[in-house]
């Protein structure tokens, strides 16, 4: 059932048209059954354009910022770097996709576009790494202190890339339907782990001040950041998780032309939200805005 439901949900992405196929706007006419309900597609392509205009420079800035750091780096910066790299690639593919839909209708271009979709599918794995890193820092600080060097995190990142590349190539070559089960499993797994880690961190930070009137400024900052992260996780990933069980209750038109489009649009917004969240907590910005030195924030308190 999950395979059938998820296949319908992601049919939006399986749009490789023949070389002599339809050429020209509007974009949603690649789906004749959705001709009378274009509004969700307008939202979808609006999100894509927003990702390109805002997400691309934001993620590139995060990549540059992390790469140029020489000290006082967060333990999660390795994961943020890889996440920003994948999101930047996905955002930069937007003009190619739109041109191929409206003008080229080239089958070969769709191989590259489906690979970009595959890359985006597994970006939550780096979010999982960030959440686990934060969880270990707060809930198990003794164990965390033994693995503060970046070598372990670099090795974990390599392992994630080893999963991402075959997945992306499989989706590119064999088509969208070939990875539906894996995609569904990744989303469910990532959502469960991220929610567990963030709730555990909130619980520990909240109870660490039991009986005290004021929370330590560092812990307070970490507490607020974790709350923001949890809200973002719920907004971006709760929708697909909550939608899957109810797919059989929607008509084909409702699900293909509206619900699935909105679900993927919301997930794609993570390309903007994640780098902006990182930028807002940068030490230099905090210094300029709050007049506080970077040394006030120990690495394990960062998100």
């Amino acid at each position: 059932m999950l395979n059938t439901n998820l296949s319908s949900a992601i049919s939006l992405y399986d749009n490789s048209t023949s070389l002599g196929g339809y050429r020209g706007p509007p974009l949603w006419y690649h789906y004749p059954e959705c001709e009378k309900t274009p509004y969700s597609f307008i939202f979808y392509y609006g999100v894509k354009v927003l990702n390109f205009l805002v997400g691309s420079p934001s993620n590139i800035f995060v990549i540059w910022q992390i790469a140029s750091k020489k000290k006082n780096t967060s333990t999660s910066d390795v994961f943020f770097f890889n996440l920003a790299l994948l999101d930047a690639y996905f955002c930069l593919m937007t003009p190619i996709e739109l041109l191929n839909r409206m003008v080229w209708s080239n089958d070969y271009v769709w191989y590259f576009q489906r690979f970009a979709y595959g890359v985006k599918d597994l970006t939550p794995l780096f979010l999982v790494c960030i959440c686990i890193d934060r969880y270990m820092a707060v809930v198990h600080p003794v164990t965390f202190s033994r693995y503060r060097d970046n070598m372990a995190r670099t090795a974990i990142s390599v392992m994630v890339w080893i999963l991402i590349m075959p997945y992306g190539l499989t989706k590119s070559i064999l088509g969208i339907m070939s990875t539906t089960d894996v995609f569904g499993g990744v989303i469910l797994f990532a959502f469960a782990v991220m929610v567990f880690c963030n709730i555990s961190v909130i619980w520990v930070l909240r109870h660490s001040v039991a009986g005290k009137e004021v929370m330590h400024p560092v812990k307070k900052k970490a507490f607020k950041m974790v709350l923001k992260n949890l809200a973002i996780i719920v907004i971006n990933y709760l929708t697909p998780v909550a939608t899957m069980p109810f797919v059989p209750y929607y008509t084909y038109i409702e699900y293909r032309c509206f619900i699935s489009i909105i679900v993927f649009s919301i997930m794609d917004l993570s390309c903007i939200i994640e780098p902006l969240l990182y930028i807002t907590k940068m030490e230099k910005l905090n210094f300029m805005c709050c007049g506080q030195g970077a040394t006030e924030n120990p690495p394990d308190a960062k998100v």
Side-chain angles (χ1 to χ4, degrees):
M1 179 63 70
L2 177 60
N3 183 32
T4 303
N5 295 343
L6 204 53
S7 298
S8 299
I10 62 176
S11 59
L12 165 68
Y13 287 163
D14 199 12
N15 287 321
S16 39
T17 54
S18 62
L19 294 175
Y22 169 81
R23 297 171 184 270
L27 304 178
W28 53 87
Y29 280 16
H30 282 287
Y31 311 92
E33 65 272 22
C34 301
E35 180 177 345
K36 296 182 179 180
T37 55
Y39 306 108
S40 59
F41 287 89
I42 294 174
F43 177 72
Y44 173 77
Y45 292 113
V47 169
K48 277 197 155 303
V49 173
L50 187 64
N51 275 342
F52 176 69
L53 296 178
V54 179
S56 297
S58 298
N59 281 289
I60 291 173
F61 179 74
V62 170
I63 293 170
W64 173 80
Q65 187 67 27
I66 295 175
S68 61
K69 280 185 178 180
K70 296 182 180 179
K71 59 181 180 178
N72 294 328
T73 59
S74 168
T75 56
S76 297
D77 274 354
V78 173
F79 302 132
F80 271 111
F81 179 86
N82 287 277
L83 179 63
L85 195 65
L86 293 175
D87 281 345
Y89 169 70
F90 180 76
C91 292
L92 290 172
M93 287 296 293
T94 296
I96 297 176
E97 176 184 352
L98 296 181
L99 285 172
N100 197 43
R101 288 182 186 274
M102 292 187 293
V103 181
W104 301 332
S105 295
N106 191 310
D107 282 339
Y108 303 108
V109 175
W110 272 108
Y111 284 109
F112 294 98
Q113 191 59 52
R114 286 196 295 266
F115 179 77
Y117 292 146
V119 163
K120 181 59 181 171
D121 284 351
L122 296 194
T123 52
L125 291 179
F126 280 114
L127 286 175
V128 170
C129 293
I130 293 169
C131 289
I132 293 176
D133 192 64
R134 180 171 55 245
Y135 168 83
M136 293 299 296
V138 176
V139 182
H140 303 286
V142 176
T143 303
F144 176 80
S145 62
R146 300 172 185 171
Y147 301 97
R148 293 182 60 85
D149 61 283
N150 285 332
M151 290 300 297
R153 291 165 182 80
T154 301
I156 293 173
S157 298
V158 170
M159 293 175 61
V160 174
W161 275 100
I162 290 174
L163 295 175
I164 289 175
M165 294 304 292
Y167 178 93
L169 290 173
T170 300
K171 196 164 194 171
S172 173
I173 298 171
L174 301 183
I176 302 300
M177 305 298 290
S178 62
T179 58
T180 54
D181 289 335
V182 178
F183 175 72
V186 167
I187 292 298
L188 293 173
F189 166 78
F191 181 78
V193 173
M194 288 189 291
V195 169
F196 168 78
C197 290
N198 280 275
I199 290 179
S200 298
V201 170
I202 292 172
W203 179 268
V204 170
L205 289 175
R206 190 63 181 171
H207 282 72
S208 66
V209 294
K212 302 177 182 178
E213 295 182 358
V214 181
M215 181 183 291
H216 188 278
V218 173
K219 289 185 177 181
K220 185 175 182 180
K221 181 178 179 180
F223 181 75
K224 290 182 178 179
M225 185 60 66
V226 170
L227 282 178
K228 291 179 182 178
N229 282 347
L230 182 60
I232 291 171
I233 290 168
V234 170
I235 291 171
N236 285 135
Y237 297 102
L238 178 60
T239 305
V241 171
T243 302
M244 289 177 189
F246 300 99
V247 172
Y249 298 97
Y250 299 109
T251 66
Y252 175 80
I253 298 297
E254 286 175 341
Y255 199 83
R256 176 164 185 172
C257 301
F258 180 74
I259 296 173
S260 64
I261 313 302
I262 299 299
V263 165
F264 281 100
S265 300
I266 294 173
M267 289 180 62
D268 288 351
L269 281 173
S270 62
C271 292
I272 298 175
I273 297 174
E274 289 154 5
L276 291 181
L277 179 65
Y278 182 89
I279 291 172
T280 58
K281 76 174 188 66
M282 282 168 46
E283 293 174 348
K284 290 183 179 179
L285 290 183
N286 290 336
F287 179 82
M288 290 186 293
C289 296
C290 306
Q292 297 177 350
T295 57
E296 293 183 3
N297 300 321
D300 59 349
K302 297 178 184 178
V303 177

